[in-house]
Amino acid sequence: MSGKILAIAIVVSALLFGAGVYYFQVYYYYAAVEDDAGQVFLTPLDGGAPEHIAYAGFEGIDATSSPIRYRACFTTPERPQALDERFERYGDGEPRNAPFWFSCFDAEEIGRMIETGEAHVYVAQRNIEFGIDRVVAVAEDGRGYVWEEINECGDKAYDGTPLGEDCPPRE
């Protein structure tokens, strides 16, 4: 009899622990990012300071538990062809999944639009924090998405490889 009680206690504990981990990963750490009329910006081709672009309908989330949990959605009157003439493109932008409840950010759909050329990815700011770049994708229909990517220096720093001369100093 005591073996059954022990087994039930172990299973219940495991289920409660699993539910807690799920809650913390999917809900707890995320907070809404307020639209302070300065969340969407791109780096000009000349490498100058990032410039804001016109946008509306901003929705964003972020978490302090990871440097790559920032996600945002917006609409803009700008189109990729016009932005290409003024702002730096980002090479291999690959959006990461957002929590299911943040429904405006569908990483698979954004990735498909990038692959087909319906959306272009731009540098918002390199090294927004060491090893992390913020990028913006803008689609032909005016929908825009923001997320953060681990750059080459970040890859090296996080896997223990010595940093190259082209990496900025870590602050």
Side-chain angles (χ1 to χ4, degrees), residues 7 13 39 48 52 57 62-63 92-93 102 132 146 151:
S13 296
Q39 292 294 332
H52 297 284
D62 198 3
D92 297 326
F102 192 64
I132 307 296
V146 186
N151 61 29

Side-chain angles (χ1 to χ4, degrees), residues 4-150:
K4 289 181 183 179
I5 294 172
L6 182 60
I8 289 171
I10 290 171
V11 169
V12 168
S13 296
L15 288 173
L16 289 173
F17 181 77
V21 168
Y22 176 80
Y23 171 77
F24 279 98
Q25 288 298 314
V26 176
Y27 296 101
Y28 182 77
Y29 291 112
Y30 284 99
V33 173
E34 296 300 319
D35 180 16
D36 61 3
Q39 292 294 332
V40 182
F41 48 87
L42 302 175
T43 298
L45 286 171
D46 67 6
E51 297 176 9
H52 297 284
I53 63 169
Y55 69 94
F58 180 87
E59 293 179 60
I61 58 172
D62 198 3
T64 57
S65 63
S66 171
I68 58 171
R69 287 198 168 183
Y70 184 93
R71 307 282 188 284
C73 306
F74 63 93
T75 58
T76 182
E78 300 275 6
R79 293 300 177 260
Q81 294 75 17
L83 294 173
D84 286 351
E85 296 171 7
R86 301 179 352 238
F87 298 105
E88 181 182 345
R89 294 279 299 266
Y90 192 82
D92 297 326
E94 187 177 319
R96 290 175 176 59
N97 291 329
F100 69 89
W101 51 265
F102 192 64
S103 58
C104 71
F105 195 97
D106 182 349
E108 287 184 26
E109 175 67 13
I110 299 165
R112 185 196 61 73
M113 288 190 298
I114 293 167
E115 284 180 13
T116 62
E118 294 173 62
H120 296 183
V121 183
Y122 303 92
V123 174
Q125 185 175 347
R126 293 204 183 271
N127 289 299
I128 197 150
E129 79 177 63
F130 182 82
I132 307 296
D133 295 336
R134 182 168 291 175
V135 298
V136 175
V138 176
E140 293 288 337
D141 62 5
R143 290 180 295 160
Y145 308 94
V146 186
W147 68 93
E148 293 178 350
E149 295 263 345
I150 298 174

